[in-house]
Amino acid sequence: MLRKKVNGVAKGPRLSSALSEFTGGAVDRRAFLRNSGLAIGGLTAAATMRSGMVRKAEAAVPAMGKIEIRKSVCTHCSVGCTVLAEVQNGVWIGQEPGFDSPFNLGAHCAKGAAVREHAHGERRLKYPTKLEGGKWKKISWGQAIDEIGDKMLQIRETSGPDSVYWLGSAKHSNEQAYLFRKFYAFWGSNNGDHQARICHSTTVAGVANTWGYGAMTNSYNDIHNSKSMILFGSNPCEAHPVALQHILKAKEVNNAPLIVCDPRFTRTAAHATEYVRLRPGTDNALTWGILWHIFENGWEDKEYIRQRVWGLDHIREEVRKWTPEETELVTGVPGSQVRRVARTLVNNRPGTLIWCMGGTQHHHANNQTRAYCILQLALGNIGRSGGGANIFRGHDNVQGATDMCVLSHSLPGYYGLKTGSWKHWARVWDVDYDYILGRFASKKLMESKGIPVSRWIDGVLEDKGNIDQPDNLRAMVFMGHAPNSQTRGVEMKKAMEKLDLLVVIDPYPTATAVMHDRTDGVYLLPATTQFETYGSVTASNRSLQWRDKVIEPLFECKPDQTIMYLLAKKLGFADEMFKNIKVNGDEPLVEDITLEFNKGMWTIGYTGQSPDRLKMHMKYQHTFDKTTLQAKGGPLDGETYGLPWPCWGTADMKHPGTHVLYDPTKPVAEGGLNFRARFGVKAPDKWGGENLLAEGGVEGSSYPVGNELKDGHPEFTMAMLKKLGWDSDLTAEETAAIEKVAGDKTNWKTDLSGGIQRVAIKHGCAPFGNAKARTVVWTFPDPVPIHREPLYTNRRDLLPKYKTYSDRQMYRLPTRYASIQEQDFSKEYNLVLTSGRLVEYEGGGEEQRSNPWLAELQQDMFVEINISDANNRDIRDGSMVWVEGPEKGKVKVMAMVTERVGKGVAWMPFHFAGRFQGKDLRSKYPEGADPIVLGEASNTMMTYGYDSVTNMQETKATLCKISKA
Amino acid sequence: MRSKSAILVILLSAAVAVLSGCKAEEQGRPTTYEKGVYGGKADKKLTGEQVRSLRHRGGLQRQ
Amino acid sequence: MARMKFLCDAERCIECNACVTACKNEHEVPWGINRRRVVTINDGKPGERSISVACMHCSDAPCIAVCPVDCIYNTEEGVVLHSKDLCIGCGYCFYACPFGAPQFPAVGNFGSRGKMDKCTFCAGGPDVDNSAEEYRKYGRNRLAEGKLPLCAEMCATKALLAGDGDVVSDIYRERVVSRGFGSGAWGWGRAYPGAPS
């Protein structure tokens, strides 16, 4: 091997520039180096060296120490790109491509290629700070925790636990997310949530209610097998750039058509074979328009439907109305194009359907997500390699944080909030159910959905008498959540000012620190990034990856798990909450947290992914196939990369994980599956009362290979095992454990031994039963998905026919629909407005706008406006304009005159903050923590509108007016 | 006269001393310019091992 | 050993700017200096295509021809490098370069004020390989570590290829064949009139 001459000095300038900014700050450079130097054990390092990489000469690396490679995972989107960090003496000095990762094969986007800047951290929060008399004042961690805790306990005393809101994050690791969910359970409230609410909540609800699980069915890699791809409201070129590597492979190798349906000619559309420009908010209508041709011509997969799909006749009735003329009237898409798209999808199967925020952020989006599913079911594309509903999630761990149910309506693993669910988790937590019950204001509040993040401002501002809890929200905790991702910024400012206490726990101050005019009662606590701690993260395809710690926490930052422990201790429930989790000093042991959720999350198979197994997967990344994700040989032979859930049973059972959901061509023990029997065995009489279980008796189609029941069947319980005589396969310990939970009533979800799952799988059966997908969700406001016009619509001509819902009470709050839509704003607000992402930024954007390598590439907030609309308003490219919404919020931004948006439509990115309705807020940031780039937040002027099932905000279709500034 | 020649000798030796300081090596830069010829520090050719490694990594871009 | 080359496949380039930030990251390139950038034509219209551009490391480089102090040279591997010790920052190379590769920093992260800076194909400069001096003036020398330019190695879609010209063209040829349509390489249509692209 050749040796490379590197001496540490060569890295000098980098290192010094990295550190030069904070000498005299919280940590001086020498102390920082010393501390980090101490922390280097002998981690993974040399193991990742391969041939083809010239080894660095040990002899030539004298003074400064060896360069180690540590493996982490990018903290931006959900693709899960491996980050190889070069670390020398505790300092992160370089990034290398992770060629071994089956997800990214070395690739990154602008954000991933710039993550090392986290270790510079020049503009991060460096120490705890509080706002006192309008000035930021440095305080100690002890003082911060004490003051925050005292205030919270006082609020709890006077208004009850539901008056504190716990806003968590899709940027938590799985362990942090789980701990956070557990935290507000022990605090005694369901008022907690995270970004999934405003990103894919409508997907999760819609998809889970169709076939069982609300997640991406296949994987980015499986797209290699697709014969066609259709994208709705998804722009992966900017939101998931590395996904394009897989998409383009299908396009180039399979010659697969790439159809992009979007109101905006996105960068992805530029690479499409067919671009469909639809009117914002009409995805449901377009989907039915496509399905109309399929039904009309009998192109649906009839045998697949007979065996595996229920209720399609009810859908046919609705779809019959969506003739090419009606579809064109509503969506604006020419009839001939809709027909061509339908034929392309039919002729190129299996095809994958991908959707993102363009489909999910509408007040009727739960209809749209179900319509996409139904289109795929009609084509027979679900449960097939190359097919699938490939829902690209947004943040790096939004899938994991959703699975941990950092939500206001469920417990980890989607157990819900019923008494039985709480009892299950009390058993896992090893505390009395009554203890948990006693933490809540009442059993009723314990079992009723909390306020979602999209509505927290209403929880503060709404008249107390209209809220289904004792008092308004009085304290907000933002733990890794930017406020500018939520709509109605003007009202949010008011809400922030009305609160008693506002706490930000984040590596960056975020707009929460500056957008209000408070002078007291705001605390900023510096949290670490994921590169300064370790743990697991779930990619969009349900695979878990284990991150190493790259560097020690910078400045006075602490990892989230430590901060939660400190707060729990102060609030008086640390002993119970950390009963089975070892705490070193103040830091809970991450592996113990993984093992604890492994013990409880049977519903979705988060039970087999032990820390040891996950670490092995990271170590042997190179042994996995880049398309099937299956290890070929090596110590993990046959396992799927990252053990995508469901990874059934205990870790000892060695289930390989499930690459493609509901794929019956494999035995369940090898990752095969069928649709989940989640909705009973028989449809309600009102909907025909038919059988809901799979039928047809075809192995590898209506039931998975090796299923001994050879047909549809309900979910497994102990009673069912006994009836089948399979209970004799249980071990004595398993039987005892099952007996202890609920005897014969113990089911595959509550059996803590995993015995029921093990035995069901041994006999080739999916523990959750084998049913048909249901196309009619009788429990939803619209059982059959239908089109509804946005709350703020300019198509008044479509209104009586496609009007919205009536006003109603949801999630403890009055929720308005008809009372808004009935008013006509379209005369004055005559442009349709939608929003989206930029590749350089993500979410609230604070993190990336503080990174000079990224910030340099996008320095101005802008609005895209069509050239005709611009000329009609005498607006020139690059000039400043006001964009005002019908609720009177307005933003001053730069005009980008372009044909990217159609006539009558405008578009804004949503990652900016730090300017508010024309006012620059830079001076309000704590010193040295202001992002490089500031700009107006589009959501300052975005309007009211919430999904009828999940309260997702309606940011993808509203109205605005644009005028010269 | 003696002082004149002494001055001359001193001047000459000073000139020699000064001029000898104009050698390229001592300046750390080239002092002569030949049109069309790079006169800076020479770069090193890559070794066979380095080239093999580069070709291998080139192949990793397939996909 | 062939010449080191970049090739950008415009069928694949999605303007994600990974190449740009990878370069910034690897060499700590200061704000305002772009050794590499992504250029988009027909922005927002059908026919929109992007291509990542840096120094193309020409075989017969115009910058070498015009440099009044002859500080630019071609390495054995075909990489165009220059000596910041000799450069006088006149900007003549900037006139000559068809790709706008030469950059002129305002402040001295890369050598002294005003000297030309450009993509080095991650091959450092004429100072001792991987020395502090080389790093300070030119950035990291990946070639000496047996690694290719980071911009290409990290490209999101493998649109930007780098390496030995023959390796790069092999990969590219395979792609064109399997695609069965046109060529995404920039300039293909001009070089082969009548070809799509």
Side-chain angles (χ1 to χ4, degrees):
Chain A
M1 271 315 247
L2 195 141
R3 307 270 147 168
K4 178 204 153 193
K5 295 166 295 163
V6 144
N7 56 52
V9 190
K11 308 289 189 183
R14 210 187 269 231
L15 193 153
S16 56
S17 79
L19 298 165
S20 61
E21 290 296 311
F22 53 85
T23 44
V27 184
D28 73 40
R29 176 182 164 189
R30 209 166 287 119
F32 171 64
L33 277 175
R34 194 171 54 237
N35 294 342
S36 3
L38 283 177
I40 305 176
L43 275 175
T44 49
T48 49
M49 289 275 196
R50 282 177 320 275
S51 66
M53 188 187 284
V54 180
R55 214 174 266 276
K56 308 183 191 234
E58 278 136 39
V61 188
M64 287 293 279
K66 269 216 313 259
I67 295 175
E68 289 182 66
I69 297 275
R70 301 201 184 162
K71 256 188 206 177
S72 186
V73 174
C74 179
T75 53
H76 294 295
C77 85
S78 66
V79 174
C81 301
T82 291
V83 169
L84 293 188
E86 290 184 310
V87 179
Q88 189 177 40
N89 269 18
V91 179
W92 188 355
I93 58 162
Q95 252 182 275
E96 285 296 326
F99 288 119
D100 288 344
S101 164
F103 290 164
N104 62 309
L105 294 92
H108 277 305
C109 69
K111 299 181 290 291
V115 288
R116 188 173 65 91
E117 204 280 337
H118 282 93
H120 293 191
E122 285 165 21
R123 288 170 184 259
R124 280 177 46 178
L125 288 174
K126 299 179 181 72
Y127 38 76
T129 313
K130 80 169 184 179
L131 192 61
E132 201 176 72
K135 294 250 183 307
W136 293 111
K137 189 183 155 202
K138 180 181 172 181
I139 54 172
S140 69
W141 269 103
Q143 186 186 349
I145 297 286
D146 272 344
E147 289 183 15
I148 293 167
D150 287 339
K151 187 75 203 171
M152 284 179 172
L153 290 171
Q154 185 205 329
I155 291 171
R156 186 185 172 92
E157 196 63 33
T158 51
S159 300
D162 289 301
S163 285
V164 178
Y165 197 93
W166 302 95
L167 188 46
S169 181
K171 294 234 164 184
H172 286 318
S173 64
N174 284 327
E175 290 72 19
Q176 293 166 342
Y178 168 78
L179 210 55
F180 190 82
R181 179 63 190 91
K182 189 175 175 184
F183 185 100
Y184 62 87
F186 277 65
W187 166 258
S189 173
N190 291 325
N191 282 336
D193 213 347
H194 83 287
Q195 286 93 346
R197 178 75 54 193
I198 49 180
C199 120
H200 266 300
S201 64
T202 45
T203 297
V204 177
V207 178
N209 276 286
T210 301
W211 50 55
Y213 287 148
M216 180 168 177
T217 59
N218 297 35
S219 71
Y220 294 105
N221 300 67
D222 184 64
I223 297 174
H224 298 174
N225 298 316
S226 298
K227 298 284 191 293
S228 65
M229 298 164 281
I230 183 164
L231 281 68
F232 285 90
S234 170
N235 180 16
C237 279
E238 305 216 47
H240 310 85
V242 176
L244 256 290
Q245 194 180 139
H246 305 296
I247 289 172
L248 290 175
K249 186 161 181 174
K251 184 185 167 197
E252 294 179 3
V253 178
N254 306 345
N255 216 356
L258 173 61
I259 304 167
V260 172
C261 309
D262 204 298
R264 183 169 170 256
F265 182 79
T266 59
R267 298 215 182 287
T268 312
H271 287 269
T273 50
E274 174 109 39
Y275 168 58
V276 181
R277 197 191 289 274
L278 73 160
R279 187 169 67 88
T282 61
D283 297 52
N284 201 151
L286 178 61
T287 312
W288 285 167
I290 296 169
L291 206 50
W292 185 89
H293 289 282
I294 293 172
F295 285 155
E296 201 68 14
N297 294 290
W299 289 336
E300 68 271 25
D301 187 336
K302 297 180 189 74
E303 184 55 23
Y304 178 92
I305 294 166
R306 187 180 72 82
Q307 295 174 10
R308 304 188 67 185
V309 184
W310 169 80
L312 216 51
D313 288 339
H314 303 290
I315 304 295
R316 276 177 209 275
E317 264 171 61
E318 173 62 25
V319 168
R320 198 167 293 134
K321 301 172 194 162
W322 291 91
T323 60
E325 298 71 34
E326 186 68 5
T327 305
E328 181 163 356
L329 176 73
V330 173
T331 66
V333 182
S336 57
Q337 190 177 28
V338 178
R339 184 183 161 84
R340 187 165 65 237
V341 168
R343 213 169 31 200
T344 305
L345 296 178
V346 168
N347 290 342
N348 295 279
R349 286 185 270 187
T352 186
L353 191 153
I354 295 162
W355 76 81
C356 289
M357 306 307 73
T360 65
Q361 292 180 336
H362 298 278
H363 81 284
H364 71 310
N366 72 82
N367 290 357
Q368 304 205 141
T369 59
R370 286 181 289 137
Y372 302 143
C373 294
I374 292 164
L375 174 59
Q376 282 295 67
L377 287 169
L379 290 165
N381 276 337
I382 302 297
R384 290 200 172 150
S385 184
N390 278 324
I391 304 134
F392 293 176
R393 304 297 307 259
H395 295 68
D396 61 326
N397 200 31
V398 68
Q399 185 59 54
T402 308
D403 297 335
M404 298 302 158
C405 289
V406 183
L407 298 167
S408 67
H409 65 274
S410 200
L411 282 165
Y414 310 95
Y415 275 82
L417 294 172
K418 295 197 177 108
T419 315
S421 319
W422 283 106
K423 285 192 168 158
H424 168 73
W425 279 103
R427 276 192 293 274
V428 177
W429 295 331
D430 194 15
V431 294
D432 279 342
Y433 167 77
D434 287 335
Y435 168 79
I436 303 284
L437 176 61
R439 299 291 303 161
F440 280 80
S442 68
K443 190 162 190 285
K444 185 160 174 267
L445 283 168
M446 184 183 186
E447 294 177 10
S448 80
K449 296 173 184 174
I451 296 170
V453 53
S454 48
R455 307 295 308 279
W456 76 263
I457 52 178
D458 291 315
V460 180
L461 300 173
E462 185 64 56
D463 185 32
K464 201 198 283 196
N466 296 334
I467 313 182
D468 301 329
Q469 67 174 43
D471 201 349
N472 288 96
L473 296 178
R474 293 177 56 197
M476 270 301 291
V477 178
F478 285 85
M479 193 161 192
H481 203 311
N484 49 321
S485 56
Q486 302 137 52
T487 54
R488 297 163 62 202
V490 180
E491 282 167 277
M492 187 184 299
K493 177 173 184 291
K494 274 192 213 130
M496 283 185 175
E497 285 159 6
K498 197 182 157 207
L499 290 168
D500 294 26
L501 175 68
L502 183 54
V503 181
V504 176
I505 307 173
D506 202 286
Y508 297 88
T510 77
T512 311
V514 297
M515 67 181 279
H516 49 77
D517 289 326
R518 295 179 70 100
T519 54
D520 291 278
V522 184
Y523 292 82
L524 310 178
L525 306 183
T528 62
T529 65
Q530 293 299 339
F531 300 111
E532 296 147 78
T533 182
Y534 67 105
S536 68
V537 52
T538 305
S540 198
N541 75 314
R542 299 164 281 108
S543 279
L544 278 70
Q545 301 188 90
W546 193 268
R547 288 185 176 120
D548 279 340
K549 185 196 271 187
V550 174
I551 47 170
E552 287 299 310
L554 293 181
F555 319 110
E556 289 184 31
C557 300
K558 291 184 190 293
D560 291 1
Q561 62 270 24
T562 304
I563 299 171
M564 283 184 247
Y565 175 74
L566 291 172
L567 267 174
K569 203 162 76 172
K570 170 71 191 172
L571 298 172
F573 50 82
D575 289 346
E576 290 83 2
M577 182 173 160
F578 293 89
K579 194 168 178 186
N580 294 313
I581 298 166
K582 195 176 159 203
V583 180
N584 298 314
D586 288 328
E587 183 172 0
L589 184 65
V590 172
E591 286 87 345
D592 275 2
I593 306 173
T594 322
L595 290 170
E596 187 173 294
F597 68 65
N598 284 159
K599 258 169 65 185
M601 290 174 63
W602 303 96
T603 39
I604 54 172
Y606 250 79
T607 45
Q609 302 98 333
S610 65
D612 290 345
R613 289 185 85 188
L614 294 177
K615 288 174 189 173
M616 285 285 278
H617 277 237
M618 291 309 279
K619 190 171 169 190
Y620 290 95
Q621 273 185 329
H622 59 282
T623 63
F624 292 91
D625 184 88
K626 310 285 191 264
T627 296
T628 63
L629 293 181
Q630 199 175 51
K632 288 181 181 159
L636 305 171
D637 191 27
E639 293 189 9
T640 304
Y641 179 66
L643 302 170
W645 64 261
C647 178
W648 299 113
T650 59
D652 294 337
M653 207 176 101
K654 292 265 177 210
H655 188 268
T658 308
H659 181 207
V660 175
L661 290 176
Y662 325 119
D663 174 7
T665 62
K666 291 191 227 175
V668 178
E670 293 169 22
L673 221 50
N674 44 247
F675 292 130
R676 178 173 172 186
R678 194 176 185 175
F679 321 109
V681 294
K682 194 171 144 296
D685 291 338
K686 190 184 162 204
W687 291 99
E690 296 121 323
N691 164 44
L692 287 180
L693 297 178
E695 54 195 327
V698 186
E699 183 165 25
S701 175
S702 77
Y703 65 86
V705 170
N707 180 324
E708 294 176 17
L709 298 177
K710 299 191 182 298
D711 214 345
H713 59 85
E715 53 186 338
F716 277 83
T717 60
M718 183 58 177
M720 187 167 150
L721 280 191
K722 283 186 174 164
K723 213 164 144 192
L724 291 165
W726 295 352
D727 57 319
S728 56
D729 292 330
L730 292 166
T731 65
E733 296 82 54
E734 284 167 349
T735 312
I738 291 165
E739 213 42 56
K740 211 171 131 198
V741 173
D744 280 4
K745 284 192 186 144
T746 310
N747 62 30
W748 63 285
K749 296 179 283 193
T750 53
D751 162 21
L752 297 183
S753 72
I756 296 179
Q757 292 199 0
R758 188 181 63 77
V759 171
I761 291 168
K762 183 168 174 260
H763 292 276
C765 299
F768 62 31
N770 177 13
K772 291 177 177 173
R774 72 172 172 172
T775 56
V776 177
V777 181
W778 56 80
T779 46
F780 277 10
D782 295 321
V784 172
I786 56 170
H787 170 66
R788 290 181 186 270
E789 276 296 303
L791 287 198
Y792 289 96
T793 180
N794 58 357
R795 289 295 299 273
R796 313 304 294 178
D797 59 314
L798 299 175
L799 265 194
K801 201 168 175 189
Y802 300 113
K803 67 171 197 255
T804 183
Y805 309 90
S806 54
D807 292 3
R808 55 196 61 189
Q809 187 83 358
M810 286 175 78
Y811 291 97
R812 306 185 180 183
L813 293 162
T815 307
R816 299 174 62 195
Y817 293 98
S819 62
I820 288 177
Q821 199 182 54
E822 280 158 8
Q823 306 166 65
D824 183 2
F825 296 93
S826 63
K827 297 285 171 300
E828 188 182 353
Y829 298 91
N830 49 14
L831 289 172
V832 175
L833 179 68
T834 179
S835 67
R837 270 218 209 178
L838 298 172
V839 67
E840 293 85 359
Y841 296 157
E842 198 235 332
E846 200 85 345
E847 190 179 354
Q848 299 82 24
R849 284 182 288 105
S850 298
N851 178 332
W853 304 330
L854 293 168
E856 188 184 349
L857 297 169
Q858 287 289 354
Q859 301 183 25
D860 295 293
M861 168 65 184
F862 60 93
V863 59
E864 288 182 354
I865 177 171
N866 184 272
I867 189 156
S868 304
D869 296 323
N871 285 338
N872 289 343
R873 288 163 180 76
D874 192 22
I875 289 166
R876 308 284 287 265
D877 189 44
S879 65
M880 296 305 284
V881 293
W882 283 106
V883 183
E884 187 186 296
E887 290 166 12
K888 306 288 180 206
K890 56 181 186 173
V891 296
K892 190 178 169 186
V893 299
M894 191 182 276
M896 179 182 279
V897 177
T898 174
E899 289 173 38
R900 204 177 277 290
V901 285
K903 216 172 149 182
V905 177
W907 178 92
M908 286 197 286
F910 60 80
H911 318 285
F912 291 82
R915 285 176 166 274
F916 194 82
Q917 307 207 90
K919 203 173 133 212
D920 187 302
L921 306 177
R922 192 177 289 279
S923 62
K924 295 175 81 176
Y925 281 90
E927 204 189 332
D930 53 321
I932 299 165
V933 168
L934 302 181
E936 290 269 10
S938 62
N939 280 321
T940 300
M941 54 75 57
M942 281 285 178
T943 51
Y944 199 96
Y946 300 101
D947 178 74
S948 60
V949 171
T950 73
N951 260 348
M952 162 70 78
Q953 58 191 16
E954 187 161 57
T955 42
K956 290 295 178 268
T958 184
L959 296 174
C960 72
K961 69 171 172 190
I962 301 183
S963 54
K964 278 162 78 167
Chain B
M1 273 322 258
R2 266 181 63 191
S3 65
K4 258 190 187 172
S5 58
I7 289 167
L8 201 68
V9 168
I10 292 165
L11 278 176
L12 273 172
S13 45
V16 168
V18 168
L19 281 173
S20 67
C22 292
K23 272 203 230 154
E25 305 84 67
E26 290 172 27
Q27 290 278 303
R29 64 183 176 93
T31 49
T32 52
Y33 173 68
E34 194 184 334
K35 194 169 163 44
V37 178
Y38 169 72
K41 290 177 201 161
D43 215 335
K44 238 178 66 192
K45 191 178 182 319
L46 294 179
T47 63
E49 180 77 30
Q50 283 166 320
V51 170
R52 260 195 303 284
S53 171
L54 291 171
R55 291 185 70 91
H56 170 80
R57 283 179 80 104
L60 295 177
Q61 300 172 101
R62 201 164 257 114
Q63 157 75 6
Chain C
M1 174 85 201
R3 295 179 61 90
M4 288 294 167
K5 279 290 169 214
F6 282 122
L7 187 150
C8 185
D9 182 347
E11 273 299 319
R12 289 235 184 150
C13 179
I14 55 171
E15 205 198 338
C16 79
N17 280 321
C19 47
V20 177
T21 60
C23 178
K24 293 252 173 195
N25 185 342
E26 187 67 353
H27 308 295
E28 295 270 2
V29 180
W31 184 284
I33 296 297
N34 291 289
R35 288 181 168 190
R36 177 170 282 290
R37 67 182 93 213
V38 180
V39 178
T40 300
I41 59 156
N42 292 326
D43 192 48
K45 293 179 209 153
E48 174 182 309
R49 281 291 178 271
S50 299
I51 167 174
S52 174
V53 186
C55 172
M56 298 299 275
H57 300 279
C58 309
S59 310
D60 187 5
C63 56
I64 298 183
V66 302
C67 178
V69 293
D70 288 308
C71 75
I72 313 175
Y73 63 100
N74 234 314
T75 70
E76 294 272 353
E77 294 79 34
V79 177
V80 175
L81 296 178
H82 72 300
S83 162
K84 286 193 180 175
D85 300 337
L86 302 185
C87 176
I88 55 171
C90 67
Y92 210 165
C93 50
F94 188 52
Y95 272 59
C97 177
F99 302 100
Q103 305 278 301
F104 294 89
V107 283
N109 197 354
F110 283 86
S112 29
R113 171 182 285 263
K115 300 221 172 188
M116 187 269 274
D117 183 73
K118 70 167 194 69
C119 161
T120 64
F121 207 85
C122 287
D127 285 291
V128 176
D129 285 355
N130 293 311
S131 63
E133 190 67 2
E134 183 187 46
Y135 182 79
R136 188 176 60 80
K137 289 186 203 158
Y138 308 101
R140 201 159 159 184
N141 188 340
R142 293 178 63 83
L143 290 198
E145 292 177 41
K147 300 170 189 161
L148 291 167
L150 195 62
C151 52
E153 289 203 324
M154 277 189 180
C155 174
T157 57
K158 315 268 182 200
L160 182 61
L161 303 171
D164 240 352
D166 61 335
V167 176
V168 169
S169 60
D170 275 354
I171 295 176
Y172 187 64
R173 228 184 329 263
E174 283 167 28
R175 254 186 222 175
V176 172
V177 170
S178 95
R179 244 174 227 166
F181 59 87
S183 151
W186 211 250
W188 199 272
R190 230 170 112 183
Y192 304 97
S197 163

